[in-house]
């Protein structure tokens, strides 16, 4: 005998998942945004927004599953790094009704991404430095982006996160450059090399031709599913 589903006596809020997808292009930290459709019936018409959408109860077993599905739909790749950022909700953030969104952020190597374009919602990389406060994003996505940027920069000070922005194999100078781009400041070269190797999260992968007289050693992450935490933050370059 089939079990009868109970009927809720209160209205359900709109539930979405949004993703802040970071990469590094042209030596700049960039974020992926999609342009919302135009038209008077659309909330925030033609505004730029974070990729995401409504939870599909038939497809998504969890919020993370929804985030990974949306990420794959828009970029064509499965991010090796995806982290839950937080939740935003209220009755005024979306004109369609009381809504809550659960935000994640992802790190992708630029050469791994081939954007999946949708004529109704074109996608484009935007340099983070040019977005705030001059460009207003849809809904409260500007606040979500700022929170993701702060989380990323804080964690970069003591983790191996920038390695997820690089294709493998990579050199130590290339890895240091990722740290400097994300942090927005130079860091000490000798100190970086010593601490990166001592942290034991890299494995050698043979020599790489980097266009100089001497080849450089290439490295890969020992575990692409884990983040290494360092005991101290990186020192600025003197």
């Amino acid at each position: 005998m089939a079990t009868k589903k109970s009927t809720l006596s209160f209205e359900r809020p709109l539930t979405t998942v949004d993703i802040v997808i970071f990469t590094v292009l042209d030596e700049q930290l960039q974020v992926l945004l999609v342009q919302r459709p135009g038209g008077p019936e659309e909330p925030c018409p033609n505004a730029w927004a974070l990729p995401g959408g409504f939870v599909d109860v038939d497809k998504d077993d969890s919020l993370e599953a929804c985030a990974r599905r949306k990420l794959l739909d828009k970029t064509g790749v499965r991010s090796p790094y995806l982290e839950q950022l937080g939740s935003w909700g209220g009755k005024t953030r979306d004109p369609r009704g009381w809504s809550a969104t659960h935000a994640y952020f992802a790190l992708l190597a630029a050469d791994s991404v081939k954007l999946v374009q949708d004529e109704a919602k074109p996608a484009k990389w935007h340099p983070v430095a040019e977005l705030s406060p001059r460009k207003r994003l849809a809904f409260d996505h500007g606040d979500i982006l700022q929170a993701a940027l702060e989380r990323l920069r804080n964690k970069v000070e003591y983790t191996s996160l920038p390695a997820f922005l690089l294709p493998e194999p990579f050199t130590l100078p290339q890895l240091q450059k990722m740290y400097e781009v994300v942090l927005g400041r130079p860091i000490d070269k000798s100190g970086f090399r010593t601490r990166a190797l001592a942290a034991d999260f890299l494995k050698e992968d043979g020599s790489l031709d980097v266009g100089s007289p001497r080849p450089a050693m290439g490295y890969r992450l020992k575990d692409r599913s884990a983040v290494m935490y360092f005991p101290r933050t990186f020192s600025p370059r003197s």
Side-chain angles (χ1 to χ4, degrees), residues 58-92:
D58 294 322
K59 295 180 180 179
D60 304 320
D61 294 332
S62 65
L63 293 173
E64 182 175 326
C66 180
R68 292 192 179 279
R69 177 173 62 84
K70 295 295 183 180
L71 177 67
L72 182 63
D73 287 347
K74 185 52 63 177
T75 67
V77 298
R78 292 177 172 85
S79 173
Y81 187 81
L82 183 70
E83 177 179 325
Q84 189 167 13
L85 178 65
S87 298
W88 282 256
K91 64 180 181 180
T92 60

Side-chain angles (χ1 to χ4, degrees), residues 83-168:
E83 177 179 325
Q84 189 167 13
L85 178 65
S87 298
W88 282 256
K91 64 180 181 180
T92 60
R93 66 176 301 271
D94 190 324
R96 292 170 294 188
W98 211 109
S99 70
T101 192
H102 305 278
Y104 287 75
F105 79 89
L107 304 179
L108 299 177
D111 71 342
S112 69
V113 180
K114 185 176 181 181
L115 298 182
V116 181
Q117 293 293 352
D118 180 344
E119 289 185 8
K121 295 183 178 181
K124 181 182 176 183
W125 293 108
H126 293 253
V128 168
E130 298 177 7
L131 287 176
S132 179
R134 289 178 292 174
K135 185 184 288 292
R136 181 175 176 82
L137 302 184
F139 308 112
D140 50 7
H141 289 188
D143 295 335
I144 297 173
L145 172 58
Q146 185 61 36
L149 185 59
E150 291 175 3
R151 171 82 65 86
L152 174 62
R153 284 179 170 161
N154 287 338
K155 293 190 75 168
V156 161
E157 289 276 9
Y158 59 89
T159 70
S160 59
L161 276 183
F164 292 95
L165 293 166
L166 282 167
E168 294 178 315

Side-chain angles (χ1 to χ4, degrees), residues 179-225:
Y179 275 84
E180 293 178 336
V181 167
V182 175
L183 289 172
R185 63 171 173 83
I187 56 180
D188 179 70
K189 180 179 179 180
S190 60
F192 175 84
R193 181 180 183 87
T194 299
R195 291 184 55 203
L197 293 178
D200 196 32
F201 69 99
L202 301 173
K203 59 182 178 182
E204 294 184 353
D205 193 54
S207 298
L208 291 178
D209 183 1
V210 292
S212 60
R214 294 180 58 187
M217 177 58 67
Y219 294 90
R220 292 180 180 272
L221 291 173
K222 287 185 175 181
D223 184 356
R224 288 190 65 80
S225 65

